[in-house]
Amino acid sequence: MVLHSREIDALIDTGKDPAELARLLHEAARHVVPELGNSCIAQTRVVNRPIPADGFPSVGAVPSVPGYNEAVSHSGITLGPVIGRLLASEILNGKRDEMLADFRPERFSP
């Protein structure tokens, strides 16, 4: 299980030990999911999450890098399955899907 909390994220740059942040997150999760009561923390990592500048997914071919396609999204856990299917279809058949029109990487080009 991967856990995330905006409240805990706000503490990352305060110098708190990542293990302590993990403990706080685990404790909060146990209040929401009591079945986690006997669980233990297997690993702790603090990472930067890729979030496109406008907050919306960036999906599709990047024209300036031939053969490169990207799928970058803050909402990967919920959008991952549909983004994966749509992008795979585009890569395999070469046809751009209109559902991704507003989320193309070229919107960031100058």
Side-chain angles (χ1 to χ4, degrees):
M1 176 178 284
V2 175
L3 302 174
H4 168 261
S5 163
R6 288 184 181 147
E7 292 79 16
I8 302 298
D9 278 4
L11 301 173
I12 289 173
D13 291 331
T14 65
K16 280 197 179 272
D17 178 32
E20 174 62 13
L21 297 177
R23 189 194 66 72
L24 292 171
L25 187 56
H26 188 234
E27 184 179 311
R30 286 194 316 246
H31 289 291
V32 178
V33 183
E35 290 79 6
L36 292 175
N38 293 326
S39 65
C40 63
I41 299 170
Q43 198 172 53
T44 301
R45 292 181 187 209
V46 176
V47 299
N48 289 320
R49 295 170 64 195
I51 302 172
D54 61 3
F56 294 101
S58 179
V59 183
V62 176
S64 62
V65 185
Y68 173 74
N69 289 271
E70 70 180 26
V72 181
S73 174
H74 175 60
S75 306
I77 199 79
T78 54
L79 297 177
V82 69
I83 287 174
R85 278 191 224 110
L86 293 172
L87 188 54
S89 178
E90 286 192 4
I91 292 168
L92 292 172
N93 71 34
K95 184 179 176 200
R96 292 166 56 118
D97 192 301
E98 283 303 310
M99 286 183 68
L100 296 174
D102 292 335
F103 306 104
R104 298 280 171 205
E106 59 257 25
R107 73 182 188 273
F108 297 114
S109 298

